[in-house]
Amino acid sequence: ICTGMWRGCLELEESDLPCEGNVVETYIHSLAPGPVWLYFGCRGQEDFLYQQELGRWVGNDTLTQLRVAMSRVGPEKVYVTHKLREDSEKIGKLIVDEGAYVYVCGDGNRMAKDVQDAIRDIVGMRLKGDASEYVKDMRLRQRYLQDIWS
């Protein structure tokens, strides 16, 4: 989940820029990046890919927050959706108030649907109502993207 300027085909055009004569790239590079939250799910420590790199990115503020869910460590399974729901107030604020983008990568059989349901519920709490249309609009505007496989 991240905020900031998206380079997608529908989000920013020359006419949207605040000054004449600027090009999209110049404007994008002039903006400070927004917060970037990464939720990483794995079965256990042995599956925690890129752990050192992710730790460095947290240390140098490339990542604002790293939340790791390990489903086979401890007496109860913990999934990314559990971590998202724990952070629901902040995630709802990032998405609704700050225009955050959501990128989902991984298993398309179950995880992707479960994450989308969690995001819909979190946004719904922020909006105090059903958020199905809001999430559908996020997908349309490429603010909710999936790179999934089964």
Side-chain angles (χ1 to χ4, degrees), residues 2 5 59 82:
C2 65
M5 192 58 60
H82 294 114

Side-chain angles (χ1 to χ4, degrees), residues 37-56:
W37 287 46
L38 176 64
Y39 290 81
F40 189 97
C42 56
R43 292 182 176 174
Q45 196 66 40
E46 67 281 357
D47 296 328
F48 188 4
L49 304 176
Y50 309 108
Q51 181 178 3
Q52 291 177 345
E53 291 87 347
L54 294 172
R56 280 196 298 275

Side-chain angles (χ1 to χ4, degrees), residues 80-126:
V80 164
T81 52
H82 294 114
K83 299 292 185 178
L84 283 166
R85 290 179 192 282
E86 286 174 11
D87 299 333
S88 62
E89 187 174 323
K90 180 62 178 169
I91 296 304
K93 183 177 183 209
L94 286 170
I95 293 171
V96 174
D97 300 344
E98 298 181 32
Y101 291 78
V102 177
Y103 303 93
V104 179
C105 183
D107 169 46
N109 287 327
R110 188 165 176 183
M111 180 278 304
K113 182 187 180 314
D114 291 346
V115 168
Q116 182 172 319
D117 290 346
I119 295 294
R120 185 199 62 234
D121 293 346
I122 290 166
V123 169
M125 286 188 296
R126 186 74 181 175

